Amino acid sequence: MSDRLNVVVGITGGIAAYKAVGVIRLLVLAGHDVQVVATDAALRFVGKPTLEAISRNPVHSDLYEGVSEVRHVAIGQAADLIVVAPATANTIAKLAAGLADDLLGNTILASRAPLVLAPAMHTEMWQNPATVANIAELRERGVTIVGPGSGQLTGTDSGLGRMVEPDEIVAAALAVVAPKDLVGKRIVITAGGTREPLDPVRFIGNRSSGKQGIAIALDAAARGAEVVLIGANLEIAAPASTTIQHLTVSHVSTTSELEAATMAAAVDADVVIMAAAVADYRPQSVAENKIKKETQGDRLTLELVRNPDILRQLSEARRDGQIIIGFAAETETNREKLLETGRAKVVRKGADFLVLNTVGWTEGFATETNSIIVINTAGDIVSEATGSKSSVAARILDLLS
Ligand code: CTP
């Protein structure tokens, strides 16, 4: 998503209300303005100060407050998107009937914005014919239902009815309002960092979490592209292809596994984005058993050999019209020197674009934000962005559209 949206997050009274805090946080981090409308029941589960601190806005809950501003319709009218998480069986029933006996009901009824519901309830309630009919009715009217998932419910039981995780709710909700400018495009994205085993318990790896690559995959899928995400040791949960449309996720670990998966997926791709941090070397041999100090003594010398350069192979195998994008994470902090390194690298790799960013002990890896400069083969700067990894993802994909 590129623009700042006015998002209303409705919270209703279920134990999953505490997870709504995560939904709000992700939306705020992505640069959106979030107005929270909570029911009285929701506020029994999660405190107003928490919601106000995270949303950075006052929380609305009372139908009879702000009457002079006609708040019961104003919030809904101003919304670009409404997400209700959790949506209880009771709220779903009220929405299906068009009831407006509280501020959230009024807000939704008075809004033309797309509505996304993340149901949370016990299995029996979800499977009750009343709820089944209400959900069918809401779907018929164009409401997006995210989840529910299966898993531990309140108490000791588990099953269908658990609210899906905040990142999936946010991704599915933003997908509803994203511009569909990448429809029909097939995009392969690699994310994370490869690991090269030394023995059955140790590896050589890097600090890439995969967050930036995942953000690109989610935004591309939201914009209508058919996305293949190849994750190498992702440090955060990979998005579930069950809730995110147009997304296929596969997992690899070593550079040679990443090479095989990427080269195969690239065959019919329009765009390949190599956001993964690839180990340049691997141990020449992998020990069958755990390496022991008794046999090694005070020093251990590892013999490493070069890994294949996947990006270069992709560029060499490029079909007509296929776009290849590389990343270069450099510790260089001087802008001119960073660009100089990038210009040499984009030519060496044969990529169409190179996304440059500075990484260090505290920058770039595993953080929520990123700062990038994109150059083309000629070395010209074609884009620059600083912000959340999802806003940076949007800027990179803007180059394609
Ligand atoms: N890359 C790759 N295969 C490798 C190494 C890197 O495909 N064996 C890709 C990365 O995914 C990234 C780009 O190449 O998109 C640049 O990675 P980087 O590590 O910066 O490049 P290197 O060629 O390894 O250069 P350096 O010597 O600076 O590490």
Side-chain angles (χ1 to χ4, degrees):
M1 271 308 305
S2 35
D3 300 317
R4 183 177 170 87
L5 299 170
N6 287 322
V7 187
V8 169
V9 174
I11 309 177
T12 70
I15 186 66
Y18 79 92
K19 284 201 205 167
V21 176
V23 172
I24 298 164
R25 184 170 166 274
L26 290 171
L27 286 166
V28 170
L29 276 176
H32 303 299
D33 187 62
V34 177
Q35 298 292 335
V36 175
V37 179
T39 63
D40 289 341
L43 294 178
R44 288 173 168 249
F45 289 96
V46 57
K48 226 177 189 180
T50 306
L51 299 172
E52 296 195 333
I54 303 295
S55 72
R56 303 175 189 170
N57 274 318
V59 167
H60 316 280
S61 59
D62 190 339
L63 189 53
Y64 299 101
E65 252 175 33
V67 174
S68 61
E69 304 153 25
V70 207
R71 197 178 292 168
H72 72 294
V73 290
I75 301 169
Q77 284 169 339
D80 298 310
L81 172 66
I82 301 181
V83 185
V84 183
T88 57
N90 181 52
T91 295
I92 287 167
K94 289 205 290 187
L95 294 177
L99 294 181
D101 62 347
D102 58 10
L103 186 61
L104 183 61
N106 278 272
T107 300
I108 291 172
L109 217 51
S111 181
R112 296 206 166 95
L115 177 61
V116 177
L117 306 180
M121 64 197 74
H122 280 268
T123 312
E124 295 82 350
M125 290 180 163
W126 175 249
Q127 290 173 343
N128 188 291
T131 309
V132 171
N134 291 332
I135 288 287
E137 172 64 32
L138 289 166
R139 277 209 171 106
E140 178 70 18
R141 284 187 221 152
V143 174
T144 302
I145 312 291
V146 191
S150 220
Q152 185 74 48
L153 303 170
T154 327
T156 53
D157 51 346
S158 67
L160 199 60
R162 190 183 150 90
M163 189 172 88
V164 295
E165 295 305 313
D167 54 341
E168 288 174 41
I169 296 170
V170 170
L174 292 180
V176 173
V177 286
K180 301 294 175 223
D181 55 352
L182 296 176
V183 170
K185 300 285 172 225
R186 294 182 52 87
I187 304 187
V188 174
I189 298 157
T190 67
T194 60
R195 288 178 184 174
E196 303 298 346
L198 293 170
D199 67 17
V201 293
R202 303 184 178 95
F203 60 83
I204 297 177
N206 61 69
R207 290 176 50 219
S208 175
S209 62
K211 280 185 186 167
Q212 185 62 74
I214 290 175
I216 298 171
L218 288 174
D219 196 43
R223 288 159 77 155
E226 288 304 324
V227 179
V228 175
L229 171 67
I230 304 171
N233 311 295
L234 303 176
E235 266 181 28
I236 56 169
S241 345
T242 44
T243 28
I244 313 294
Q245 285 186 322
H246 313 294
L247 179 71
T248 313
V249 186
S250 66
H251 296 275
V252 296
S253 188
T254 64
T255 301
S256 93
E257 288 165 11
L258 180 68
E259 179 192 20
T262 309
M263 295 312 292
V267 169
D268 58 358
D270 298 300
V271 183
V272 185
I273 304 179
M274 281 294 297
V278 184
D280 287 323
Y281 297 90
R282 66 178 185 279
Q284 183 163 32
S285 59
V286 181
E288 192 68 33
N289 296 305
K290 195 177 165 199
I291 299 169
K292 290 289 198 184
K293 285 189 291 296
E294 294 98 84
T295 45
Q296 297 301 326
D298 288 342
R299 275 173 180 271
L300 169 64
T301 306
L302 295 173
E303 179 91 18
L304 303 178
V305 293
R306 274 284 281 275
N307 266 329
D309 190 324
I310 306 170
L311 182 58
R312 222 177 44 216
Q313 282 185 57
L314 286 166
S315 302
E316 280 161 8
R318 184 201 276 102
R319 288 186 291 104
D320 266 0
Q322 191 180 44
I323 296 174
I324 312 284
I325 304 181
F327 270 66
E330 308 287 350
T331 45
E332 181 58 66
T333 49
N334 177 289
R335 183 181 162 94
E336 279 316 308
K337 286 193 181 147
L338 176 68
L339 283 168
E340 208 176 293
T341 308
R343 284 173 182 136
K345 196 171 276 190
V346 72
V347 172
R348 195 166 72 239
K349 300 274 187 174
D352 297 290
F353 297 104
L354 190 69
V355 181
L356 286 162
N357 71 321
T358 303
V359 292
W361 294 108
T362 56
E363 273 179 288
F365 290 133
T367 57
E368 299 297 341
T369 56
N370 207 359
S371 192
I372 57 147
I373 306 176
V374 188
I375 58 172
N376 60 16
T377 322
D380 306 320
I381 296 174
V382 290
S383 185
E384 279 194 64
T386 297
S388 67
K389 288 189 171 171
S390 64
S391 66
V392 165
R395 294 286 82 75
I396 294 168
L397 292 172
D398 285 346
L399 289 168
L400 304 175
S401 66

